[in-house]
mmCIF file of all heavy atoms in Angstrom:
data_model
loop_
_atom_site.group_PDB
_atom_site.id
_atom_site.type_symbol
_atom_site.label_atom_id
_atom_site.label_comp_id
_atom_site.label_asym_id
_atom_site.label_seq_id
_atom_site.Cartn_x
_atom_site.Cartn_y
_atom_site.Cartn_z
ATOM 1 N N LEU A 166 249.598 155.807 -65.268
ATOM 2 C CA LEU A 166 250.149 154.475 -65.549
ATOM 3 C C LEU A 166 251.413 154.575 -66.399
ATOM 4 O O LEU A 166 252.381 153.847 -66.175
ATOM 5 C CB LEU A 166 249.110 153.608 -66.259
ATOM 6 C CG LEU A 166 247.880 153.234 -65.439
ATOM 7 C CD1 LEU A 166 246.801 152.613 -66.326
ATOM 8 C CD2 LEU A 166 248.256 152.298 -64.304
ATOM 9 N N MET A 167 251.409 155.508 -67.360
ATOM 10 C CA MET A 167 252.587 155.718 -68.209
ATOM 11 C C MET A 167 253.763 156.253 -67.399
ATOM 12 O O MET A 167 254.867 155.734 -67.470
ATOM 13 C CB MET A 167 252.278 156.724 -69.321
ATOM 14 C CG MET A 167 251.546 156.195 -70.501
ATOM 15 S SD MET A 167 251.180 157.528 -71.674
ATOM 16 C CE MET A 167 252.804 158.235 -71.968
ATOM 17 N N HIS A 168 253.504 157.322 -66.646
ATOM 18 C CA HIS A 168 254.594 157.969 -65.916
ATOM 19 C C HIS A 168 255.001 157.198 -64.667
ATOM 20 O O HIS A 168 256.047 157.487 -64.080
ATOM 21 C CB HIS A 168 254.233 159.418 -65.597
ATOM 22 C CG HIS A 168 254.279 160.281 -66.820
ATOM 23 N ND1 HIS A 168 255.450 160.705 -67.397
ATOM 24 C CD2 HIS A 168 253.284 160.747 -67.621
ATOM 25 C CE1 HIS A 168 255.194 161.407 -68.476
ATOM 26 N NE2 HIS A 168 253.881 161.449 -68.644
ATOM 27 N N GLY A 169 254.190 156.232 -64.271
ATOM 28 C CA GLY A 169 254.577 155.315 -63.205
ATOM 29 C C GLY A 169 255.376 154.143 -63.749
ATOM 30 O O GLY A 169 255.669 153.202 -63.028
ATOM 31 N N ASP A 170 255.708 154.215 -65.037
ATOM 32 C CA ASP A 170 256.487 153.180 -65.724
ATOM 33 C C ASP A 170 255.848 151.797 -65.620
ATOM 34 O O ASP A 170 256.530 150.783 -65.528
ATOM 35 C CB ASP A 170 257.930 153.137 -65.205
ATOM 36 C CG ASP A 170 258.700 154.393 -65.555
ATOM 37 O OD1 ASP A 170 258.453 154.943 -66.647
ATOM 38 O OD2 ASP A 170 259.535 154.829 -64.736
ATOM 39 N N LEU A 171 254.508 151.789 -65.652
ATOM 40 C CA LEU A 171 253.784 150.523 -65.615
ATOM 41 C C LEU A 171 253.454 150.028 -67.010
ATOM 42 O O LEU A 171 253.476 148.834 -67.281
ATOM 43 C CB LEU A 171 252.504 150.661 -64.796
ATOM 44 C CG LEU A 171 252.722 151.031 -63.328
ATOM 45 C CD1 LEU A 171 251.401 151.293 -62.649
ATOM 46 C CD2 LEU A 171 253.480 149.918 -62.614
ATOM 47 N N LEU A 172 253.114 150.977 -67.913
ATOM 48 C CA LEU A 172 252.798 150.596 -69.282
ATOM 49 C C LEU A 172 253.046 151.750 -70.220
ATOM 50 O O LEU A 172 253.258 152.883 -69.794
ATOM 51 C CB LEU A 172 251.357 150.087 -69.407
ATOM 52 C CG LEU A 172 250.211 150.975 -68.964
ATOM 53 C CD1 LEU A 172 249.805 151.961 -70.024
ATOM 54 C CD2 LEU A 172 249.024 150.091 -68.631
ATOM 55 N N ASP A 173 253.034 151.436 -71.495
ATOM 56 C CA ASP A 173 253.192 152.451 -72.527
ATOM 57 C C ASP A 173 252.282 152.076 -73.688
ATOM 58 O O ASP A 173 251.832 150.934 -73.793
ATOM 59 C CB ASP A 173 254.650 152.541 -72.984
ATOM 60 C CG ASP A 173 254.946 153.858 -73.688
ATOM 61 O OD1 ASP A 173 254.085 154.755 -73.677
ATOM 62 O OD2 ASP A 173 256.032 153.977 -74.274
ATOM 63 N N PHE A 174 252.022 153.044 -74.541
ATOM 64 C CA PHE A 174 251.125 152.855 -75.668
ATOM 65 C C PHE A 174 251.874 153.071 -76.977
ATOM 66 O O PHE A 174 252.827 153.831 -77.028
ATOM 67 C CB PHE A 174 249.955 153.847 -75.593
ATOM 68 C CG PHE A 174 249.169 153.736 -74.318
ATOM 69 C CD1 PHE A 174 249.359 154.642 -73.292
ATOM 70 C CD2 PHE A 174 248.235 152.722 -74.162
ATOM 71 C CE1 PHE A 174 248.635 154.546 -72.121
ATOM 72 C CE2 PHE A 174 247.507 152.618 -72.991
ATOM 73 C CZ PHE A 174 247.698 153.530 -71.966
ATOM 74 N N VAL A 175 251.382 152.441 -78.026
ATOM 75 C CA VAL A 175 251.999 152.518 -79.347
ATOM 76 C C VAL A 175 251.151 153.419 -80.240
ATOM 77 O O VAL A 175 249.926 153.379 -80.187
ATOM 78 C CB VAL A 175 252.094 151.103 -79.968
ATOM 79 C CG1 VAL A 175 252.589 151.163 -81.395
ATOM 80 C CG2 VAL A 175 252.970 150.216 -79.110
ATOM 81 N N GLY A 176 251.806 154.220 -81.043
ATOM 82 C CA GLY A 176 251.157 154.959 -82.126
ATOM 83 C C GLY A 176 250.355 156.180 -81.737
ATOM 84 O O GLY A 176 249.817 156.281 -80.649
ATOM 85 N N GLY A 177 250.323 157.146 -82.658
ATOM 86 C CA GLY A 177 249.458 158.305 -82.556
ATOM 87 C C GLY A 177 249.818 159.342 -81.505
ATOM 88 O O GLY A 177 248.960 160.077 -81.046
ATOM 89 N N ARG A 178 251.084 159.433 -81.145
ATOM 90 C CA ARG A 178 251.488 160.400 -80.121
ATOM 91 C C ARG A 178 251.656 161.796 -80.695
ATOM 92 O O ARG A 178 252.276 161.987 -81.722
ATOM 93 C CB ARG A 178 252.819 159.995 -79.502
ATOM 94 C CG ARG A 178 252.701 158.871 -78.551
ATOM 95 C CD ARG A 178 254.018 158.733 -77.790
ATOM 96 N NE ARG A 178 254.033 157.482 -77.111
ATOM 97 C CZ ARG A 178 253.595 157.327 -75.863
ATOM 98 N NH1 ARG A 178 253.145 158.344 -75.186
ATOM 99 N NH2 ARG A 178 253.625 156.146 -75.301
ATOM 100 N N LEU A 179 251.106 162.759 -79.960
ATOM 101 C CA LEU A 179 251.324 164.160 -80.303
ATOM 102 C C LEU A 179 252.525 164.708 -79.539
ATOM 103 O O LEU A 179 253.158 165.663 -79.971
ATOM 104 C CB LEU A 179 250.076 164.987 -79.975
ATOM 105 C CG LEU A 179 248.812 164.575 -80.721
ATOM 106 C CD1 LEU A 179 247.627 165.404 -80.245
ATOM 107 C CD2 LEU A 179 249.001 164.732 -82.219
ATOM 108 N N HIS A 180 252.819 164.092 -78.385
ATOM 109 C CA HIS A 180 253.948 164.488 -77.552
ATOM 110 C C HIS A 180 254.403 163.254 -76.775
ATOM 111 O O HIS A 180 253.575 162.450 -76.342
ATOM 112 C CB HIS A 180 253.524 165.608 -76.592
ATOM 113 C CG HIS A 180 254.657 166.214 -75.847
ATOM 114 N ND1 HIS A 180 255.193 165.639 -74.720
ATOM 115 C CD2 HIS A 180 255.367 167.342 -76.075
ATOM 116 C CE1 HIS A 180 256.173 166.392 -74.266
ATOM 117 N NE2 HIS A 180 256.307 167.429 -75.077
ATOM 118 N N ALA A 181 255.697 163.109 -76.573
ATOM 119 C CA ALA A 181 256.252 161.916 -75.934
ATOM 120 C C ALA A 181 255.740 161.699 -74.510
ATOM 121 O O ALA A 181 255.670 160.560 -74.044
ATOM 122 C CB ALA A 181 257.780 161.996 -75.925
ATOM 123 N N ASP A 182 255.376 162.774 -73.804
ATOM 124 C CA ASP A 182 254.935 162.647 -72.421
ATOM 125 C C ASP A 182 253.437 162.415 -72.268
ATOM 126 O O ASP A 182 252.939 162.278 -71.156
ATOM 127 C CB ASP A 182 255.316 163.906 -71.622
ATOM 128 C CG ASP A 182 256.817 164.020 -71.440
ATOM 129 O OD1 ASP A 182 257.500 162.972 -71.440
ATOM 130 O OD2 ASP A 182 257.308 165.151 -71.293
ATOM 131 N N LEU A 183 252.713 162.401 -73.379
ATOM 132 C CA LEU A 183 251.263 162.249 -73.331
ATOM 133 C C LEU A 183 250.833 160.919 -73.948
ATOM 134 O O LEU A 183 251.513 160.400 -74.831
ATOM 135 C CB LEU A 183 250.582 163.390 -74.089
ATOM 136 C CG LEU A 183 250.815 164.794 -73.551
ATOM 137 C CD1 LEU A 183 250.193 165.824 -74.480
ATOM 138 C CD2 LEU A 183 250.263 164.926 -72.143
ATOM 139 N N PRO A 184 249.687 160.399 -73.494
ATOM 140 C CA PRO A 184 249.164 159.200 -74.166
ATOM 141 C C PRO A 184 248.824 159.536 -75.616
ATOM 142 O O PRO A 184 248.519 160.689 -75.935
ATOM 143 C CB PRO A 184 247.885 158.870 -73.389
ATOM 144 C CG PRO A 184 247.963 159.637 -72.114
ATOM 145 C CD PRO A 184 248.844 160.817 -72.384
ATOM 146 N N PRO A 185 248.870 158.560 -76.493
ATOM 147 C CA PRO A 185 248.509 158.821 -77.890
ATOM 148 C C PRO A 185 247.040 159.232 -78.002
ATOM 149 O O PRO A 185 246.224 158.932 -77.130
ATOM 150 C CB PRO A 185 248.780 157.494 -78.592
ATOM 151 C CG PRO A 185 248.912 156.476 -77.528
ATOM 152 C CD PRO A 185 249.258 157.170 -76.264
ATOM 153 N N ILE A 186 246.711 159.868 -79.100
ATOM 154 C CA ILE A 186 245.385 160.435 -79.314
ATOM 155 C C ILE A 186 244.289 159.374 -79.276
ATOM 156 O O ILE A 186 243.142 159.663 -78.935
ATOM 157 C CB ILE A 186 245.351 161.257 -80.630
ATOM 158 C CG1 ILE A 186 244.101 162.118 -80.707
ATOM 159 C CG2 ILE A 186 245.464 160.356 -81.835
ATOM 160 C CD1 ILE A 186 244.098 163.271 -79.775
ATOM 161 N N TRP A 187 244.609 158.136 -79.574
ATOM 162 C CA TRP A 187 243.577 157.102 -79.560
ATOM 163 C C TRP A 187 243.167 156.722 -78.145
ATOM 164 O O TRP A 187 242.099 156.121 -77.961
ATOM 165 C CB TRP A 187 243.975 155.887 -80.390
ATOM 166 C CG TRP A 187 245.219 155.173 -79.972
ATOM 167 C CD1 TRP A 187 246.486 155.408 -80.426
ATOM 168 C CD2 TRP A 187 245.315 154.104 -79.035
ATOM 169 N NE1 TRP A 187 247.370 154.559 -79.816
ATOM 170 C CE2 TRP A 187 246.682 153.744 -78.959
ATOM 171 C CE3 TRP A 187 244.405 153.411 -78.250
ATOM 172 C CZ2 TRP A 187 247.139 152.718 -78.134
ATOM 173 C CZ3 TRP A 187 244.858 152.388 -77.423
ATOM 174 C CH2 TRP A 187 246.213 152.056 -77.375
ATOM 175 N N ILE A 188 243.934 157.095 -77.134
ATOM 176 C CA ILE A 188 243.547 156.809 -75.741
ATOM 177 C C ILE A 188 242.367 157.686 -75.321
ATOM 178 O O ILE A 188 241.353 157.166 -74.847
ATOM 179 C CB ILE A 188 244.756 156.952 -74.787
ATOM 180 C CG1 ILE A 188 245.774 155.837 -75.058
ATOM 181 C CG2 ILE A 188 244.314 156.949 -73.324
ATOM 182 C CD1 ILE A 188 245.260 154.433 -74.786
ATOM 183 N N PRO A 189 242.426 159.012 -75.492
ATOM 184 C CA PRO A 189 241.209 159.795 -75.200
ATOM 185 C C PRO A 189 240.025 159.356 -76.063
ATOM 186 O O PRO A 189 238.879 159.404 -75.605
ATOM 187 C CB PRO A 189 241.617 161.241 -75.521
ATOM 188 C CG PRO A 189 243.098 161.256 -75.442
ATOM 189 C CD PRO A 189 243.564 159.874 -75.823
ATOM 190 N N ALA A 190 240.295 158.896 -77.285
ATOM 191 C CA ALA A 190 239.211 158.405 -78.142
ATOM 192 C C ALA A 190 238.528 157.200 -77.500
ATOM 193 O O ALA A 190 237.301 157.075 -77.529
ATOM 194 C CB ALA A 190 239.750 158.042 -79.528
ATOM 195 N N HIS A 191 239.313 156.329 -76.886
ATOM 196 C CA HIS A 191 238.729 155.187 -76.172
ATOM 197 C C HIS A 191 237.859 155.655 -75.010
ATOM 198 O O HIS A 191 236.816 155.061 -74.730
ATOM 199 C CB HIS A 191 239.816 154.251 -75.646
ATOM 200 C CG HIS A 191 240.237 153.222 -76.628
ATOM 201 N ND1 HIS A 191 239.448 152.160 -76.989
ATOM 202 C CD2 HIS A 191 241.374 153.090 -77.340
ATOM 203 C CE1 HIS A 191 240.077 151.414 -77.871
ATOM 204 N NE2 HIS A 191 241.254 151.965 -78.109
ATOM 205 N N TRP A 192 238.286 156.693 -74.336
ATOM 206 C CA TRP A 192 237.501 157.196 -73.215
ATOM 207 C C TRP A 192 236.189 157.816 -73.690
ATOM 208 O O TRP A 192 235.159 157.705 -73.015
ATOM 209 C CB TRP A 192 238.322 158.176 -72.379
ATOM 210 C CG TRP A 192 239.279 157.437 -71.480
ATOM 211 C CD1 TRP A 192 240.590 157.168 -71.725
ATOM 212 C CD2 TRP A 192 238.970 156.852 -70.224
ATOM 213 N NE1 TRP A 192 241.116 156.449 -70.690
ATOM 214 C CE2 TRP A 192 240.155 156.241 -69.745
ATOM 215 C CE3 TRP A 192 237.824 156.779 -69.438
ATOM 216 C CZ2 TRP A 192 240.204 155.562 -68.522
ATOM 217 C CZ3 TRP A 192 237.882 156.113 -68.224
ATOM 218 C CH2 TRP A 192 239.067 155.512 -67.781
ATOM 219 N N VAL A 193 236.208 158.460 -74.837
ATOM 220 C CA VAL A 193 234.954 158.977 -75.417
ATOM 221 C C VAL A 193 234.023 157.807 -75.713
ATOM 222 O O VAL A 193 232.844 157.817 -75.343
ATOM 223 C CB VAL A 193 235.230 159.806 -76.701
ATOM 224 C CG1 VAL A 193 233.943 160.065 -77.471
ATOM 225 C CG2 VAL A 193 235.927 161.103 -76.344
ATOM 226 N N ASN A 194 234.551 156.788 -76.364
ATOM 227 C CA ASN A 194 233.756 155.604 -76.668
ATOM 228 C C ASN A 194 233.201 154.974 -75.392
ATOM 229 O O ASN A 194 232.031 154.621 -75.320
ATOM 230 C CB ASN A 194 234.615 154.599 -77.450
ATOM 231 C CG ASN A 194 233.829 153.406 -77.932
ATOM 232 O OD1 ASN A 194 232.676 153.512 -78.334
ATOM 233 N ND2 ASN A 194 234.465 152.252 -77.898
ATOM 234 N N PHE A 195 234.037 154.863 -74.379
ATOM 235 C CA PHE A 195 233.609 154.269 -73.117
ATOM 236 C C PHE A 195 232.531 155.118 -72.441
ATOM 237 O O PHE A 195 231.574 154.582 -71.875
ATOM 238 C CB PHE A 195 234.810 154.084 -72.184
ATOM 239 C CG PHE A 195 234.446 153.384 -70.923
ATOM 240 C CD1 PHE A 195 234.130 152.036 -70.932
ATOM 241 C CD2 PHE A 195 234.386 154.069 -69.724
ATOM 242 C CE1 PHE A 195 233.768 151.379 -69.771
ATOM 243 C CE2 PHE A 195 234.028 153.432 -68.561
ATOM 244 C CZ PHE A 195 233.721 152.080 -68.582
ATOM 245 N N ALA A 196 232.662 156.418 -72.511
ATOM 246 C CA ALA A 196 231.681 157.312 -71.886
ATOM 247 C C ALA A 196 230.291 157.102 -72.469
ATOM 248 O O ALA A 196 229.280 157.219 -71.756
ATOM 249 C CB ALA A 196 232.113 158.767 -72.054
ATOM 250 N N LEU A 197 230.213 156.775 -73.751
ATOM 251 C CA LEU A 197 228.918 156.555 -74.393
ATOM 252 C C LEU A 197 228.239 155.285 -73.889
ATOM 253 O O LEU A 197 227.035 155.105 -74.075
ATOM 254 C CB LEU A 197 229.084 156.496 -75.913
ATOM 255 C CG LEU A 197 229.647 157.753 -76.565
ATOM 256 C CD1 LEU A 197 229.858 157.532 -78.051
ATOM 257 C CD2 LEU A 197 228.756 158.955 -76.305
ATOM 258 N N LEU A 198 228.988 154.434 -73.244
ATOM 259 C CA LEU A 198 228.464 153.189 -72.676
ATOM 260 C C LEU A 198 227.899 153.392 -71.270
ATOM 261 O O LEU A 198 226.983 152.682 -70.857
ATOM 262 C CB LEU A 198 229.598 152.156 -72.647
ATOM 263 C CG LEU A 198 229.311 150.744 -72.214
ATOM 264 C CD1 LEU A 198 228.407 150.050 -73.232
ATOM 265 C CD2 LEU A 198 230.617 149.975 -72.077
ATOM 266 N N LEU A 199 228.417 154.366 -70.545
ATOM 267 C CA LEU A 199 228.103 154.493 -69.120
ATOM 268 C C LEU A 199 226.624 154.694 -68.807
ATOM 269 O O LEU A 199 226.110 154.082 -67.870
ATOM 270 C CB LEU A 199 228.925 155.627 -68.499
ATOM 271 C CG LEU A 199 230.406 155.328 -68.341
ATOM 272 C CD1 LEU A 199 231.154 156.566 -67.892
ATOM 273 C CD2 LEU A 199 230.630 154.186 -67.366
ATOM 274 N N ASN A 200 225.928 155.519 -69.530
ATOM 275 C CA ASN A 200 224.525 155.792 -69.226
ATOM 276 C C ASN A 200 223.552 154.862 -69.929
ATOM 277 O O ASN A 200 222.346 155.025 -69.802
ATOM 278 C CB ASN A 200 224.172 157.232 -69.608
ATOM 279 C CG ASN A 200 224.790 158.195 -68.651
ATOM 280 O OD1 ASN A 200 224.875 157.948 -67.466
ATOM 281 N ND2 ASN A 200 225.251 159.308 -69.179
ATOM 282 N N HIS A 201 224.074 153.928 -70.681
ATOM 283 C CA HIS A 201 223.195 153.060 -71.459
ATOM 284 C C HIS A 201 223.505 151.598 -71.140
ATOM 285 O O HIS A 201 222.791 150.980 -70.373
ATOM 286 C CB HIS A 201 223.320 153.393 -72.945
ATOM 287 C CG HIS A 201 222.994 154.837 -73.194
ATOM 288 N ND1 HIS A 201 221.716 155.281 -73.357
ATOM 289 C CD2 HIS A 201 223.790 155.936 -73.238
ATOM 290 C CE1 HIS A 201 221.723 156.599 -73.501
ATOM 291 N NE2 HIS A 201 222.971 157.018 -73.439
ATOM 292 N N GLY A 202 224.563 151.061 -71.706
ATOM 293 C CA GLY A 202 224.918 149.671 -71.465
ATOM 294 C C GLY A 202 225.248 149.379 -70.008
ATOM 295 O O GLY A 202 225.079 148.253 -69.547
ATOM 296 N N LEU A 203 225.715 150.388 -69.275
ATOM 297 C CA LEU A 203 226.072 150.198 -67.860
ATOM 298 C C LEU A 203 225.135 150.947 -66.913
ATOM 299 O O LEU A 203 225.466 151.156 -65.752
ATOM 300 C CB LEU A 203 227.524 150.655 -67.620
ATOM 301 C CG LEU A 203 228.595 149.879 -68.371
ATOM 302 C CD1 LEU A 203 229.969 150.456 -68.086
ATOM 303 C CD2 LEU A 203 228.553 148.399 -68.012
ATOM 304 N N ARG A 204 223.962 151.324 -67.382
ATOM 305 C CA ARG A 204 223.076 152.142 -66.542
ATOM 306 C C ARG A 204 222.600 151.434 -65.284
ATOM 307 O O ARG A 204 222.269 152.076 -64.304
ATOM 308 C CB ARG A 204 221.910 152.662 -67.348
ATOM 309 C CG ARG A 204 220.889 151.631 -67.716
ATOM 310 C CD ARG A 204 219.717 152.283 -68.413
ATOM 311 N NE ARG A 204 218.858 151.247 -68.957
ATOM 312 C CZ ARG A 204 218.278 151.328 -70.112
ATOM 313 N NH1 ARG A 204 218.442 152.398 -70.862
ATOM 314 N NH2 ARG A 204 217.516 150.348 -70.548
ATOM 315 N N ASP A 205 222.578 150.105 -65.286
ATOM 316 C CA ASP A 205 222.163 149.386 -64.080
ATOM 317 C C ASP A 205 223.165 149.537 -62.940
ATOM 318 O O ASP A 205 222.864 149.200 -61.801
ATOM 319 C CB ASP A 205 221.952 147.903 -64.394
ATOM 320 C CG ASP A 205 220.739 147.664 -65.273
ATOM 321 O OD1 ASP A 205 219.850 148.545 -65.317
ATOM 322 O OD2 ASP A 205 220.680 146.603 -65.917
ATOM 323 N N PHE A 206 224.339 150.059 -63.232
ATOM 324 C CA PHE A 206 225.360 150.257 -62.210
ATOM 325 C C PHE A 206 225.253 151.616 -61.510
ATOM 326 O O PHE A 206 225.964 151.868 -60.551
ATOM 327 C CB PHE A 206 226.763 150.145 -62.824
ATOM 328 C CG PHE A 206 227.125 148.755 -63.227
ATOM 329 C CD1 PHE A 206 226.817 148.276 -64.496
ATOM 330 C CD2 PHE A 206 227.784 147.916 -62.347
ATOM 331 C CE1 PHE A 206 227.154 146.994 -64.877
ATOM 332 C CE2 PHE A 206 228.129 146.640 -62.717
ATOM 333 C CZ PHE A 206 227.809 146.159 -63.979
#
């Protein structure tokens, strides 16, 4: 999405070409939901 020039993120970048560190953190948080809150899916 970033490199397709659709969106960009603010803060916490380790490198200009990568999403900021809080983006993988969101994915970790989301992963903890998949087998529990979303298990009916």
Side-chain angles (χ1 to χ4, degrees):
L166 293 169
M167 280 177 55
H168 287 285
D170 293 325
L171 298 174
L172 57 83
D173 199 9
F174 302 101
V175 174
R178 284 191 194 269
L179 299 176
H180 189 279
D182 292 333
L183 298 174
I186 193 72
W187 60 268
I188 292 297
H191 273 289
W192 282 96
V193 167
N194 186 38
F195 184 71
L197 299 176
L198 185 67
L199 288 173
N200 288 323
H201 303 276
L203 297 178
R204 72 175 170 220
D205 291 339
F206 289 89

